[in-house]
Amino acid sequence: MTSRGAGTAFSRKNYRLSTEPEKSKVTGIVNSRLLNDYLHRVFTSADGNQPAAAYRKHLTFQNLQEHLERLLAEENDSEDSRDQVTEGRLGPSTVVLDHTSGFEGLLLVDDDLLGVIGHSNFGSIRATTCVYKGKWIYEVLISSQGLMQIGWCTLNCRFNQEEGVGDTPDSYAYDGNRVRKWNVTTTNYGKSWAAGDIVSCLIDLDEGTIAFCLNGISLGTAFDNITRGAGMAYFPAISLSFKESVAFNFGSRPLRYPLVEGYRPLQDPPVADLVKARKLLGYLRNVIHIGIDVTEGKLVEKDTSMWQLQGEPTVLITLAHIFNYFSPLMCKVYLVEDVLMTFLLSILERGGAVEAHPLIQQLLDLMWLLMEEYEVHECLKQLLMSLLRAYRFSPIIPDLGLQIHYLRLTIAVLKHEKSRKYLLSNVLFDVLRSVVFFYIKSPLRVEEAGLQELIPTTWWPNRFTKEGKESKEVKEESAEERLRRRAYERGCQRLKKRIEVVESLQVQILKLLLNNKDRGGGEASRYIFLNKFRKFLQENASNRGNLAVLCPPEYMVCFLHRLIAALRYFWDGHKAKTPASLSSEEAYVPPQLFYNGKVDYFDLQRLGGLLSHLKKTLKDDLAAKANILIDPAELQAVTMDDLDEDEESATSTAQRPSAALAIGGALARPAWLSSPTLGRANRFLSTAAVSLMNPRRPLGTLEKIKVLTLRAEQRTREDIEGTHGNEGLLLGRPPEEPDQPITENSLLEVLDGIVMMYNLSVHQQLGKMVGVSDDVNEYAMALKDTEEKISRCPKRRRDIHEELLKSQKVFSEKLNHLSRRLAWINVTIYSKEKMQDIYWLLRVCIRTIEHGDRTGSLFAFMPEFYLSVAMNSYSALKNYFSPVNSMEELPGYEETLMRLAAILAKHFADSRIVGTDIRDSLMQALASYVCYPHSLRAVERIPEEQRISMMKNLLAPYEQRPWAQTNWILVRLWRGCGFGYRYTRLPHLLKTKPEDASLPSLQKPCPSTLLQRHMADLLRSDRDLAPSFLNSVLNQLNWAFSEFIGMIQEIQQAAERLERNFVDSRQLKVCATCFDLSVSLLRVLEMTVTLAPEIFLDWSRPSSELLLRRLAQLLNQVLNRVTAERNLFDRVVNLRLPGLESVDHYPILVAVTGILVRLLVDTDVQG
């Protein structure tokens, strides 16, 4: 034992022994009679009875250890008899997965040999222990809901990449993904499982039956009359497909659902240790309950909730004796989960705020004081792992009481400063996937989650347009429908209030982790969190293709929202203390973070290309604007060091036997990995070096700073926040950046990480979850259609009527289920508060881009993801959050729309941006922007200079650049003004249903006369611009139409062959694209002829005659090919091939006619 004075303070005078009676009152030293009574009250016998005082042995601290050992040994004799070999079971007493011989395929096995991830088509693995007699049970914690078969097999079963558990005669399995049971043949069985469920597998070898339970609810007997007899013994086994993951509990931890009578876990619980731990916990409870009144010389009952160790030597020495035996037991996972966690949870069960239970803090103080350091570390690690497991695998109940219970204890543990710092430094991000604590899982089975009671009345929108989308027109809803909708909304509000309780607890956890005031005993929590958080981002950014390493997107969404809430709390708290700084509503990331090397962006792409290239090409700008010198020799040295480091880490990895990877082998995961149920299935090995500029003395105004390199974990508070003369993260402020405090530097790095998180996977997940809403709309349409058919069905056709009624019932049941599930998703993902978070993030990105843009050439250092998040978050707000919440209701919506429009208009042709992908994204975003009236008006509201610049960039020659999107933008600005060009969809396609009516191309025409005017002015005023632009348009039209004609010739030849043949769908798609391009280029020519006819008709211009000749030739070619009777074009159009729906006479002929009419009219006017 050790008595390091961490946690609880004892003043020296409390330990001064004295015989003076008045001093005994101060010191807490008690007389021998009172001590004897106290120790007997604390250390009661197993039956709880105390012998009479006359027959009791006199206890002192000298003989207490002997007495305690005798008490602990009282029941050991009876327990030892249980340690004999259990009948009916063969194999090691500690049951794990057999990763040496009992597997097939490629698998990734956890370091505790209980977790497994599939790494091949259909890998199988069994346990090391089998059973041949009796009743047995084990549990499987489902981490992913994909294709898996879980059950039992014999040693003779032979599996391969196609056949697994349940596919051979003596193997039996349950598959909750397909909701079936398997034993060579398959039939329906059980319920669908989801990630976070627990499957119990039961075998009764006396009766010959196998059954399964899902979250403690029996699914019934799956198999009976299973093969038994000599040589027949059954192993727990699983087969799972690629990237599916589970964790087994054979009894190494308490079973979550041990309610089935007569069944035993495959691994016996540590009974002797359990009895001992419970006794010692009882003694600890007695110490807390019983106080010593030194003044009165008697024992008193104490209020346990407010118990404190106030330097009483008698109590401290008593506790030291208890912890002498208790500490080693608290390193074992079974005892931590069964004894310690249960005890701590019972303290919080009395209700009230976590702060109202200081006893947990006192107990943690005691652990740090009286246990060895390695014992405390292991105990805290196992406690957090147990809490995380319990949180994740608790079923959803109506009041979310289980999740709240575990989160409250997590908060209580993390409130203890020393424990929090240890867990942050070594456990929360290194061993656990602690992001799970911020996730609220969505119930797959709404009836078990109690949503039927919470939302008794369901409702769904049933007013649709022809395209299937909810109608925007306000129609009078019936009184019954109104009542249903209001009842449904009230149910959603009840659900929201309950989920908000969980969310507020999750935010409390993050507030504790972001605490920067706890500087006692090392670095503050926030700075430990920052370094771990950066590594977490690096793992997710550097392993985009390796799903086993990534944090699941559904977790990332919840983590993002909780982190935003915690960040804004601290940001506005700092604003209250420092009025000169910015509020969170004005937050942005200053541009110097992107080039001063203080924050590591790994290998993420910058707007200007690779960081090494930017440092070479822009080193003069860095020196002039930011006083930063880039030393080429030092840069080269750093690069070489990184290469050596990578080689070294690769070598050491290859030599590590436990990490060896062999085809057809099961991989024992090394000790730095953790079960897939709680931790990461893998980990990024290389530690990224972070370039930091750390000046040794205050900087002069013109002094240049050289780059120094520090690893992420070496950064201190001074490196981040800065000190006198050192600006920390804000080093290298450019002259364009205002000299105004923003907030604490550490919060800027958190904000930067939040933007990166959104880019990594949050946006993708927001789009994925919209699918539930789409399903509701489809089923609602089907139900409405069925009800209309029922009303029209003749009375004599009862058979049809009955079938329609069955369909109506199926659709109604499905809609009831989906509408309740949608209510959950709308509260957890698409609520108004979540929408405001994404909107806040959009505004942060806009301000960051605007500040970066002002720095001139240094803008190239900004990571690409800032522009991506600005575009994607706007897209999410517009497409994913409606119709539940409308973007128009957000504060400052019009101004935000305009500022984003200005960014798109300026940067789609910005020479500082070199990445083709980001340039394409900007162009597509601008093209989408001009398709919708409200966003087009935002483009029209940007400053005139920017509008003219945008139009000039759009009119640049089409050669040497992707021109199709540019042309599309010009067409959209014109659509609605041209000849026969006011249609939304082509006339011959009006009777067919579009795939997605929300596509930009299917929006109603909304031409911009303002931007058309700018285009006309540019073409008239710049005599070089017009010919170069129009020649490039004519060149592309010539190419596109020629390609189109060549392709339809091939299609016609294929169609005329006698043998049966198929035209390649890709060829049809390319053909239709060439036709559409030809039409859109003709429309741009029509637009030019209409807006500035003098370019073709003013013979004083040197290029006019040539342009008119070229235009006439091309129009002649088009008309010859399209209008001749029974020509090639006619025959292909009449084939009505799928994929060529848009190819028709109308669109191309009206475009040509529009050009000819304008030429004739304007020639007449000019003449």
Side-chain angles (χ1 to χ4, degrees), residues 459-464 468-472 485 489 770 772-774 776-777 822 826 830-832 835 876-889:
W459 172 85
W460 50 86
N462 60 3
R463 302 181 302 281
F464 300 98
K469 290 289 169 182
E470 193 179 356
S471 174
K472 300 285 182 185
R485 178 174 57 79
E489 287 170 353
V770 173
V772 179
S773 177
D774 293 340
V776 169
N777 287 336
L822 184 62
N826 282 341
Y830 299 118
S831 70
K832 188 173 183 180
M835 187 182 195
L877 290 167
K878 182 164 68 77
N879 299 319
Y880 302 156
F881 284 86
S882 61
V884 181
N885 295 293
S886 173
M887 191 180 173
E888 282 83 352
E889 297 170 4

Side-chain angles (χ1 to χ4, degrees), residues 833-1066:
E833 291 74 19
K834 308 295 184 296
M835 187 182 195
Q836 287 167 345
D837 282 348
I838 304 300
Y839 182 59
W840 177 78
L841 202 58
L842 166 63
R843 290 165 67 109
V844 165
C845 289
I846 288 174
R847 280 188 290 269
T848 302
I849 294 164
E850 288 171 348
H851 279 264
D853 179 36
R854 293 175 201 145
T855 61
S857 58
L858 299 184
F859 180 58
F861 281 97
M862 180 178 286
E864 283 185 355
F865 65 78
Y866 272 88
L867 277 169
S868 298
V869 172
M871 293 181 283
N872 287 337
S873 56
Y874 167 70
S875 170
L877 290 167
K878 182 164 68 77
N879 299 319
Y880 302 156
F881 284 86
S882 61
V884 181
N885 295 293
S886 173
M887 191 180 173
E888 282 83 352
E889 297 170 4
L890 294 167
Y893 160 74
E894 295 290 342
E895 185 212 356
T896 303
L897 216 57
M898 187 196 76
R899 289 167 72 178
L900 181 59
I903 287 170
L904 297 176
K906 179 169 184 178
H907 298 301
F908 83 92
D910 192 336
S911 60
R912 296 170 295 181
I913 301 175
V914 299
T916 52
D917 289 344
I918 193 68
R919 288 175 76 94
D920 285 350
S921 297
L922 285 163
M923 184 72 82
Q924 287 168 18
L926 184 61
S928 173
Y929 230 71
V930 299
C931 289
Y932 299 89
H934 59 280
S935 49
L936 178 60
R937 301 299 163 247
V939 176
E940 292 179 341
R941 289 198 307 274
I942 65 176
E944 184 177 358
E945 185 184 342
Q946 290 184 18
R947 290 199 305 267
I948 293 171
S949 173
M950 176 187 81
M951 292 308 298
K952 191 166 185 176
N953 287 322
L954 288 172
L955 295 174
Y958 281 3
E959 283 84 10
Q960 306 300 320
R961 71 188 183 95
W963 55 270
Q965 286 286 1
T966 306
N967 200 73
W968 162 255
I969 293 170
L970 292 173
V971 167
R972 284 303 307 190
L973 297 178
W974 177 244
R975 191 170 196 164
C977 296
F979 182 83
Y981 202 36
R982 289 165 179 78
Y983 55 82
T984 301
R985 298 181 66 211
L986 289 167
H988 69 286
L989 295 179
L990 285 176
K991 292 180 182 178
T992 62
K993 181 185 170 185
E995 291 180 11
D996 186 356
S998 65
L999 287 173
S1001 57
L1002 295 176
Q1003 301 310 304
K1004 289 182 179 178
C1006 52
S1008 170
T1009 52
L1010 176 65
L1011 296 176
Q1012 288 175 21
R1013 193 163 65 246
H1014 289 322
M1015 177 178 171
D1017 292 343
L1018 283 166
L1019 290 172
R1020 287 193 192 101
S1021 59
D1022 192 334
R1023 290 194 166 241
D1024 295 328
L1025 176 66
S1028 63
F1029 168 68
L1030 286 168
N1031 275 315
S1032 69
V1033 172
L1034 292 166
N1035 291 341
Q1036 299 304 339
L1037 175 60
N1038 185 31
W1039 168 83
F1041 192 73
S1042 301
E1043 286 290 314
F1044 168 69
I1045 294 300
M1047 283 184 175
I1048 62 172
Q1049 284 173 344
E1050 292 176 16
I1051 292 168
Q1052 172 65 19
Q1053 288 165 7
E1056 286 176 348
R1057 292 192 195 115
L1058 293 175
E1059 68 272 15
R1060 186 173 179 181
N1061 55 80
F1062 299 95
V1063 181
D1064 185 4
S1065 60
R1066 285 175 297 179

Side-chain angles (χ1 to χ4, degrees), residues 218-252:
S218 175
L219 301 176
T221 301
F223 306 100
D224 49 21
N225 294 322
I226 64 172
T227 311
R228 290 171 288 165
M232 295 302 293
Y234 288 90
F235 292 83
I238 185 173
S239 298
L240 65 176
S241 53
F242 187 55
K243 290 177 183 170
E244 303 301 336
S245 61
V246 299
F248 286 82
N249 182 11
F250 300 113
S252 60

